[in-house]
Amino acid sequence: MEILTSLSEGTQFSIQLVVVLICLFYGAKKGGIALGLLGGIGLLVLSFGFAVAPGKPSIDVMLTILAVVIASATLQASGGLDVMLQIAEKVLRKNPKFLTILAPFVTCFLTILCGTGHVVYTMMPIIYDIAIKNGIRPERPMAASSISSQLGIIASPVSVAVVSLTALLLNPEINKHPLAGFDGYVDLLAITIPSTLIGVLAIGIFSWFRGKDLDKDEEFQARLKDPEQKEYIYGDSKTLLGEKLPTIQWVAMWIFLGAIAIVAILGAFPELRPQFTSKGVTKPMNMVATIQMFMLLAGAALIIFTKLDTSKIAKNEIFKSGMIALVAVFGISWMADTMFAVHTPMMKAALGDVVKEHPWTYAVMLLLISKFVNSQAAAIAAFVPLALGIGVEPGIIIAFAAACYGYYILPTYPSDLATIQFDRSGTTKIGKFVINHSFIAPGLIGVIVSCIAGYFLALGAGYL
């Protein structure tokens, strides 16, 4: 240990950075919970090898993740999510000609309402069926919908990423220069929701013209010559329209949406929240605690009024993916805070001026970190505290919030891989060089356009 601690700060930082990157890359390769667990190795090396005092894991963020995930998983277990999906299918099947524009908006809105992009799995067979039956190249709406479902996370009032970013921006220990008039939750959504929708529109417009029409696609036409392939491609229809969902599932949906509406109202009108006095200053209850309370309330109300089998909650996809996110944020945020906190002065001196002169470099770095960790919330938890520490303006962080979505760069994310499998026509695919896959172009377009829109919205709001 003495050998390592005797090295110059720059050398120590370089070695520590390599250790952290190895943990991130190996964790991302293994996927799932491994990403968070590998943070333990990084922490061990930093503390026992370099005598760096352990930092603080993002407890507020983690507890909010837990509350939101439990509420969303309870919604799925109660059947309320099926009602949302049925409504979405009705919209798409009534307007098949505009599928490439509408489908991305539908998946984005579902994510905004539910706080997770994993709802896209149920929509993909429906989108494929509408596309192939109407002669639309499935790659167009399907790749766009997969990207848009993830892009919508930063615009969701109940997403882990939004809650994480809000908590960090309102934490006086992390954000030493808070924005005047910025209350966090609703003010953040006022930027991210419109910028995200503008990005989704750009994705839809681009996708409308991408690739060859099916009747001009030689590869697709060659596949149709095989009767078995043709039957496989056109297959059976996937639909929820024939199902009559019980009234109790509609009740479940309205309970969940009602909780989200109340949270939004409380965020917009702080005077409606309880007032507490601390050190002679009276302030309303913070939004992090408010979100946690009402998400737990929503889950409890769903259990009470729908009489669902609670054993189903922990078995569905939303709960499992949420717990993975929780572990990832725990390990990554703790490791990142431990490493960067001790080197913040050095990094501020080295990078502060560069980021201030070229704010877009913050967005690029956040985008790449998101790819490494495969999580928007984890990327925010790992990088935003560092960015604030080296002098990045909070307004820039708000403006470029969409840059936390970068895990489409390589086609390794579950929703993208699932979309490829759902597209039986073979038009949604991974290219010969891997990087030239169906999701890279709509992903870059959506994020870049959202960041540009976010910049001008933040400028108009007086944050820049």
Side-chain angles (χ1 to χ4, degrees):
M1 185 170 69
E2 291 182 2
I3 297 175
L4 295 175
T5 55
S6 64
L7 299 172
S8 66
E9 184 179 1
T11 303
Q12 289 187 50
F13 175 78
S14 298
I15 296 173
Q16 292 168 14
L17 182 61
V18 169
V19 171
V20 169
L21 290 177
I22 289 174
C23 291
L24 292 178
F25 273 110
Y26 187 74
K29 182 180 179 181
K30 286 293 183 180
I33 289 177
L35 186 59
L37 296 179
L38 264 291
I41 295 178
L43 283 163
L44 188 71
V45 173
L46 292 169
S47 297
F48 285 82
F50 291 90
V52 176
K56 299 178 181 179
S58 302
I59 300 298
D60 281 346
V61 173
M62 291 163 56
L63 291 178
T64 307
I65 291 173
L66 186 61
V68 170
V69 167
I70 289 173
S72 298
T74 306
L75 173 71
Q76 184 176 14
S78 67
L81 181 59
D82 290 338
V83 177
M84 294 184 184
L85 294 172
Q86 189 179 68
I87 294 171
E89 183 177 357
K90 287 180 181 179
V91 172
L92 293 179
R93 289 195 182 274
K94 285 183 178 179
N95 303 276
K97 292 183 179 179
F98 301 100
L99 180 68
T100 305
I101 298 291
L102 290 177
F105 276 105
V106 167
T107 56
C108 181
F109 277 122
L110 285 171
T111 296
I112 290 174
L113 291 174
C114 299
T116 173
H118 293 288
V119 294
V120 76
Y121 298 127
T122 309
M123 285 305 302
M124 278 306 172
I126 296 169
I127 294 172
Y128 173 78
D129 187 67
I130 298 172
I132 200 69
K133 298 293 172 59
N134 287 275
I136 299 170
R137 183 182 181 86
E139 178 190 35
R140 294 171 180 171
M142 293 184 75
S145 297
S146 180
I147 292 296
S148 297
S149 70
Q150 300 300 325
L151 194 63
I153 288 174
I154 198 61
S156 171
V158 289
S159 76
V160 176
V162 167
V163 171
S164 301
L165 187 53
T166 301
L168 293 171
L169 289 171
L170 293 181
N171 189 334
E173 295 182 4
I174 296 174
N175 185 8
K176 305 294 185 182
H177 305 285
L179 288 168
F182 181 80
D183 188 41
Y185 188 70
V186 174
D187 293 330
L188 176 62
L189 292 173
I191 303 297
T192 60
I193 290 177
S195 63
T196 296
L197 295 180
I198 292 171
V200 171
L201 178 61
I203 290 172
I205 293 172
F206 162 77
S207 300
W208 188 287
F209 301 100
R210 75 177 309 195
K212 296 179 180 180
D213 291 336
L214 291 180
D215 59 349
K216 298 176 183 177
D217 188 325
E218 297 86 357
E219 183 179 344
F220 176 77
Q221 292 300 319
R223 294 185 66 190
L224 290 183
K225 293 179 181 179
D226 183 340
E228 291 186 5
Q229 282 291 317
K230 185 174 182 179
E231 183 179 356
Y232 170 73
I233 290 170
Y234 284 94
D236 296 328
S237 297
K238 301 292 183 181
T239 180
L240 290 171
L241 295 185
E243 298 182 31
K244 185 173 182 179
L245 302 177
T247 303
I248 199 67
Q249 291 185 220
W250 285 83
V251 171
M253 181 192 72
W254 288 117
I255 289 174
F256 186 78
L257 294 181
I260 295 176
I262 292 172
V263 169
I265 292 170
L266 291 174
F269 302 99
E271 62 272 15
L272 296 178
R273 288 178 251 151
Q275 306 287 318
F276 304 110
T277 301
S278 177
K279 297 180 181 180
V281 179
T282 301
K283 292 182 179 180
M285 184 171 68
N286 65 65
M287 280 305 297
V288 173
T290 302
I291 294 169
Q292 292 172 357
M293 288 183 187
F294 276 89
M295 287 299 96
L296 292 176
L297 174 64
L302 286 168
I303 291 173
I304 293 169
F305 292 105
T306 66
K307 298 180 181 180
L308 64 87
D309 180 358
T310 55
S311 65
K312 295 180 179 179
I313 298 173
K315 297 177 181 179
N316 61 45
E317 184 63 33
I318 291 179
F319 185 87
K320 292 176 182 177
S321 62
M323 291 304 102
I324 291 172
L326 180 63
V327 175
V329 170
F330 176 38
I332 290 170
S333 67
W334 195 6
M335 178 175 64
D337 186 80
T338 299
M339 175 187 167
F340 292 124
V342 72
H343 296 298
T344 294
M346 181 192 75
M347 297 187 69
K348 185 175 182 179
L351 301 175
D353 292 338
V354 174
V355 176
K356 287 180 180 178
E357 292 180 13
H358 307 287
W360 55 269
T361 57
Y362 162 78
V364 173
M365 294 172 70
L366 181 61
L367 188 78
L368 294 176
I369 288 174
S370 173
K371 175 57 242 172
F372 292 152
V373 301
N374 270 356
S375 165
Q376 296 182 40
I380 287 171
F383 189 56
V384 169
L386 171 63
L388 290 168
I390 64 175
V392 177
E393 296 179 17
I396 289 295
I397 291 174
I398 294 169
F400 295 151
C404 68
Y405 173 36
Y407 41 81
Y408 56 84
I409 294 175
L410 292 177
T412 57
Y413 198 70
S415 60
D416 294 336
L417 294 175
T419 299
I420 293 172
Q421 298 305 313
F422 282 128
D423 183 1
R424 301 194 300 272
S425 71
T427 58
T428 306
K429 56 190 176 182
I430 299 173
K432 180 180 179 181
F433 303 103
V434 182
I435 195 70
N436 59 327
H437 52 84
S438 294
F439 309 96
I440 186 72
L444 287 172
I445 289 170
V447 169
I448 291 172
V449 171
S450 293
C451 284
I452 293 173
Y455 183 86
F456 284 105
L457 287 167
L459 194 65
Y463 300 146
L464 297 172

